[in-house]
């Protein structure tokens, strides 16, 4: 809302933009600090409009579930049952009533599945008709929107792509279609399911970056070039910098890797201790570190080894790839040096220091060869912000590298910089010039004043959209939350058994509260339905292998497609979480749960139609199903106070809602 750049690990920007759209339509000006869960909203926050789109998406998921079951060629009763379960599931209600993204994700997941089913069913009667094209295009659009809200959406996208690939393979083998007809089908699917989702995904980021043009607190995570493209912040500091680095330039060098913290090459007058705590000795030279804050001691002068001057010639002589340079520390005038002495915390690497002449048998080794990593030619010039460079020590072939280890108190807890002899390439070895000016003062006192002065020449170095998109996408994928655990975090196994919940809100004065808590009748039955479908599928498959066809071909194809969508959707949206090394919560299971809910009435109808042999059995089974639906409705109503948070509960009423505690007590008692 304030156009300030931000970055978090929740995924792509489309979901945030939808929430912001609701706020914009409600007149929200962005003036509210979202820094404390449970804080009272101020009068300028249009809560209703901010919650509108998630609530609308949650509401529309109900009729979409009905339509999906119908498109799978099951009865209206089964479709009504799926819609009813989506309607009364407490976890889905809770999640869709708040400013959260899961209901939007589920909506577009269901939209992708429904659109593809409508497209597939129209394929038999009117291929390439306007209706056929509409549903095919909507499939790709919905898949892209799902991924644009959360990366979890890619699981449903893979599901749809897999089923579409199988259907396309069957089309290729259809001898009734001409070669051109088959080619047209394949091209249409490629455009709708591959090209359009990629285009829309890029469009989401284009709008996102166009809106967020102002500098913010998350800038330091990004590269110098990205920061310089934002209004304010680094762009304000670096405005007017010369583009080409020349001999005599004054620069600050930022490590491209930026982990564990974004930091700049730094030195100060303090020296390495003579003897480390582990008994190893050092060179007692001036410390060189990587400092995570802007500081006057971050400035270095690029010196020509063949000249004594520390100023830029007129015209400037640019530094090129492969040139030999010396790095002079701006405030102490000592040269960056490394030698065959072990680094303080990384004994396998060389110590990096600023050379102090103690008049002993340790000569200076301060020549470095410039290696421009992203060069376009062998004589490319070193450019401010844009060039990513490595410094290779001439004498030992070591590369200047950020080790990432924090030095002890004698190093002021700054980050260790070492000389790495390994030939491997890593971003921790890569640096870029962030701040830059042409030095004009030869005297040290004048130079120190010059380091504080602004620059003159204005160079425009805006990054292209694709460069910013690539960097932002990579940061989103690799950004990790520092918290390793949370009070309400859970494991994937706990989701299936509903052995966890999340307390979303507690009233500060009464006992009213909102919890993300599922309906145990629905969750347990949905899991049983998944197991039942899997067993039945493999039983039928084995019998068909023996040429025993229990189901007609049409019924079998509908049964297989329903299982591929529902069981496959559940598996793809659930099983990958076992491989994820991140904090997980119960709401991560909701997209998988929706596929199980769709499967449940399908299995019930199948049992009634094909496993109940007599009318009496069907009547008894129908009565049991009605009783089961009634119990699900009863549990949903029982959990209503924790779903809506509009009722104060006594301690006894709260204990009565803890079904699992009661169940555990009964087990221990009997």
């Amino acid at each position: 809302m304030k156009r300030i750049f931000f970055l978090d690990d929740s995924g792509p920007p489309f979901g945030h933009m939808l929430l912001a759209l609701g706020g914009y339509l409600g007149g929200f000006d962005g003036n509210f600090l979202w820094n404390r869960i449970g804080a009272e909203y101020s009068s300028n926050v249009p809560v209703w409009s901010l919650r509108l789109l998630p609530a609308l998406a949650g509401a529309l998921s109900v009729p979409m579930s009905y339509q999906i079951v119908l498109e799978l060629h099951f009865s209206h009763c089964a479709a009504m049952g799926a819609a009813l379960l989506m309607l009364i599931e407490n976890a889905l209600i809770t999640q869709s009533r708040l400013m959260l993204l899961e209901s939007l994700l589920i909506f577009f997941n269901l939209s992708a599945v429904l659109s593809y089913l409508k497209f597939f069913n129209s394929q038999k009667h009117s291929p390439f008709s306007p209706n056929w094209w509409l549903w095919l295009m909507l499939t790709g659009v919905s898949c892209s929107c799902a991924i644009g809200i959360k990366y979890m959406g890619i699981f449903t996208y893979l599901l749809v792509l897999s089923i579409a690939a199988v259907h396309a393979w069957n089309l290729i083998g259809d001898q009734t279609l001409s070669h051109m007809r088959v080619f047209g089908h394949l091209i249409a699917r490629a455009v709708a399911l591959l090209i359009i989702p990629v285009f829309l995904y890029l469009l989401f980021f284009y709008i996102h970056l166009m809106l967020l043009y102002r500098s913010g607190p998350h800038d330091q995570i990004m590269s110098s070039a990205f920061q310089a493209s934002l209004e304010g912040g680094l762009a304000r500091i670096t405005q007017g910098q010369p583009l080409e680095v020349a001999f005599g330039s004054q620069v600050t060098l930022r490590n491209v890797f930026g982990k564990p913290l974004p930091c700049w090459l730094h030195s100060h007058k303090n020296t390495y201790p003579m003897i480390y705590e582990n008994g190893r000795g050092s060179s007692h030279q001036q410390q060189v570190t990587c400092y995570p804050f802007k500081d006057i001691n971050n400035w270095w002068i690029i010196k020509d080894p063949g000249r004594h001057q520390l100023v830029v010639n007129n015209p400037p002589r640019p530094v090129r790839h492969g040139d030999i340079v010396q790095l002079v520390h701006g405030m102490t005038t000592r040269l960056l040096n490394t030698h065959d002495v072990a680094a303080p915390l990384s004994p396998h690497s060389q110590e990096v220091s600023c050379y102090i002449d103690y008049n002993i048998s340790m000569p200076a080794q301060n020549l470095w060869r410039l290696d421009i990593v992203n060069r376009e030619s062998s004589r490319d010039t070193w450019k401010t912000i844009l060039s990513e460079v490595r410094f290779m020590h001439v004498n030992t072939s070591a590369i200047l590298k950020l080790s990432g280890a924090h030095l002890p108190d004698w190093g002021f807890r700054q980050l260790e910089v070492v000389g790495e002899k390994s030939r491997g390439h890593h971003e921790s070895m890569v640096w870029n010039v962030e701040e830059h000016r042409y030095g004009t003062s030869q005297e040290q006192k004048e130079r120190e004043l010059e380091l504080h002065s602004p620059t003159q020449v204005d160079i425009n170095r805006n990054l292209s959209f694709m460069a910013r998109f690539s960097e932002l996408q990579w940061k989103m994928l690799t950004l990790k939350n520092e918290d390793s655990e949370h009070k309400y975090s859970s494991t994937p196994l706990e989701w299936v058994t509903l052995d966890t919940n999340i307390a979303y809100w507690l009233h500060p004065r009464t006992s009213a509260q909102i919890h993300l808590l599922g309906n145990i009748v629905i969750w347990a039955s949905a899991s049983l339905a998944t197991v039942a479908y899997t067993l039945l599928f493999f039983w039928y498959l084995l019998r068909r292998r023996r040429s025993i066809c229990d189901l007609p071909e049409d019924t079998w194809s509908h049964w297989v497609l329903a299982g591929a969508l529902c069981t496959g959707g559940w598996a793809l949206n659930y099983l990958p979480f076992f491989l994820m090394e991140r904090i997980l919560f119960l709401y991560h299971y909701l997209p998988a749960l929706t596929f199980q809910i769709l499967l449940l009435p399908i299995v019930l109808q199948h049992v009634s139609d094909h496993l109940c042999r007599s009318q009496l059995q069907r009547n008894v089974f129908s009565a049991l199903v009605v009783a089961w639906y009634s119990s699900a409705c009863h549990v949903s109503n029982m959990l209503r106070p924790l779903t809506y948070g509009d009722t104060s509960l006594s301690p006894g009423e709260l204990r009565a809602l803890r079904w699992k505690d009661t169940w555990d007590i009964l087990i221990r008692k009997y």
Side-chain angles (χ1 to χ4, degrees), residues 58 62 83-98 100 103 106 498 501-502 504 513-523 586-587 590 593 597 629 631-646 657 659:
V62 176
L84 178 61
L85 294 177
M86 291 287 291
L87 179 68
I88 65 174
E89 170 48 46
N90 298 80
L92 297 178
I93 297 172
T94 301
Q95 205 72 9
S96 63
R97 295 186 69 249
L98 305 176
L100 299 169
S103 63
I106 291 169
L498 203 55
N501 74 95
I502 303 175
Y504 275 160
Q513 48 198 281
I514 295 176
H515 287 251
L516 180 65
L517 185 63
N519 185 319
I520 184 59
V521 174
I522 296 176
W523 287 52
L586 180 62
Y587 54 73
L590 296 183
L593 176 69
I597 289 177
Y629 271 104
S631 65
C633 292
H634 174 72
V635 171
S636 179
N637 186 62
M638 185 177 68
L639 295 176
R640 186 191 183 284
L642 298 181
T643 301
Y644 291 88
D646 56 357
L657 292 175
W659 64 269

Side-chain angles (χ1 to χ4, degrees), residues 511 513 638 648-659 662:
S511 59
Q513 48 198 281
M638 185 177 68
S648 297
L649 299 171
S650 66
E653 290 172 324
L654 280 173
R655 282 194 297 270
L657 292 175
R658 293 174 181 164
W659 64 269
T662 305

